[in-house]
Amino acid sequence: MEVSFKPQEPKVLPPNYAPGVDSLTSEDFLKIYMETLRYQDPFQAQDLSKMLDDMVKLNQVRFFNDMRSFTEGLKALFNQSTLISSLSLVGKDVIFSADRVNTVRGGQYYLLSPEDVSQATVKFFNGDQVVKEIKIDLKKGLNELDLDGLPRGQFKVKVFKDGLEYPKVQLGIKGSIKAAAIMDGQLLFELLDGSMIDPSKIIYLGGV
């Protein structure tokens, strides 16, 4: 019985084909380099600088891709760990920083002081106009604000001591954390009123 073998058709490469070197190891490259030196025409020496430059650039791209994948994986792991630890705050009352008092929204507002400040003056501003002024002895920590007599609106709060503004006091509002979630890679807390708060805005935890 006559057996015939059909030779495999040769693969035709385009004129501009260039072999990739991104998968070469340093040992592979050294072998190719030595073999090229061994068989090259001494009167027409080949320049391997371009091949070496391509390999370096491709390996740099691969390195940065690997680093990006590693960083994204590390970020995801960190987010998961942060979310798990943040779940312990669900159901707790905390104090979030506030820019102003909002009597339309309501809520309990506090002044967080780093030290005791006797005979301080708290002023509520509507623009440049003072709409309310109270005297208070601030204690180190939380001090609840008395909002009685304030009209409906939003008001800036400033603290003064001996006629000078005392900027170390922070204004905050009490909130109860309903849930914690990661959105677009960022940890956020959902309050009972439905608003979403960045954890960086928390200025006081516990004993509210």
Side-chain angles (χ1 to χ4, degrees):
M1 181 177 63
E2 182 179 355
V3 179
S4 61
F5 294 93
K6 183 178 180 181
Q8 185 177 3
E9 294 183 2
K11 183 177 180 181
V12 179
L13 298 176
N16 59 350
Y17 172 77
V21 295
D22 59 322
S23 61
L24 288 178
T25 64
S26 58
E27 291 81 5
D28 292 333
F29 181 80
L30 184 59
K31 288 178 182 179
I32 295 174
Y33 181 78
M34 295 303 295
E35 288 298 312
T36 304
L37 290 179
R38 179 180 176 184
Y39 293 107
Q40 72 177 349
D41 185 342
F43 298 103
Q44 293 184 348
Q46 298 182 27
D47 182 12
L48 295 180
S49 61
K50 185 179 185 304
M51 180 179 179
L52 180 59
D53 184 59
D54 289 343
M55 181 180 181
V56 171
K57 290 179 179 178
L58 289 170
N59 280 334
Q60 286 177 341
V61 171
R62 185 169 56 181
F63 169 77
F64 285 117
N65 285 338
D66 291 343
M67 283 301 298
R68 182 174 60 183
S69 298
F70 172 76
T71 303
E72 290 176 351
L74 188 63
K75 180 180 178 181
L77 180 61
F78 175 77
N79 283 340
Q80 291 176 0
S81 300
T82 304
L83 178 60
I84 292 174
S85 61
S86 299
L87 291 178
S88 61
L89 296 178
V90 174
K92 301 291 182 62
D93 289 333
V94 295
I95 303 298
F96 293 94
S97 63
D99 294 329
R100 59 194 66 222
V101 168
N102 187 337
T103 56
V104 177
R105 173 185 175 183
Q108 291 179 270
Y109 288 86
Y110 295 83
L111 292 177
L112 178 62
S113 178
E115 58 187 359
D116 293 338
V117 183
S118 61
Q119 295 298 305
T121 301
V122 181
K123 296 182 180 181
F124 297 83
F125 288 84
N126 183 7
D128 295 328
Q129 181 183 2
V130 178
V131 295
K132 183 178 180 179
E133 181 176 326
I134 58 175
K135 297 288 186 180
I136 185 174
D137 290 329
L138 292 175
K139 296 180 180 180
K140 182 178 180 180
L142 285 184
N143 300 265
E144 187 171 0
L145 273 178
D146 178 14
L147 304 182
D148 289 343
L150 275 178
R152 290 171 61 86
Q154 299 185 41
F155 308 96
K156 292 286 289 185
V157 178
K158 294 183 180 181
V159 178
F160 295 85
K161 171 66 178 174
D162 298 328
L164 299 176
E165 186 176 355
Y166 185 76
K168 297 180 181 179
V169 177
Q170 289 181 276
L171 176 66
I173 181 173
K174 180 179 178 181
S176 183
I177 297 177
K178 176 183 177 182
I182 294 178
M183 302 178 66
D184 296 329
Q186 181 181 3
L187 177 66
L188 294 174
F189 288 120
E190 181 183 0
L191 303 183
L192 286 180
D193 63 4
S195 59
M196 305 298 291
I197 299 295
D198 190 308
S200 63
K201 297 190 67 175
I202 297 177
I203 61 174
Y204 191 85
L205 284 170
V208 180

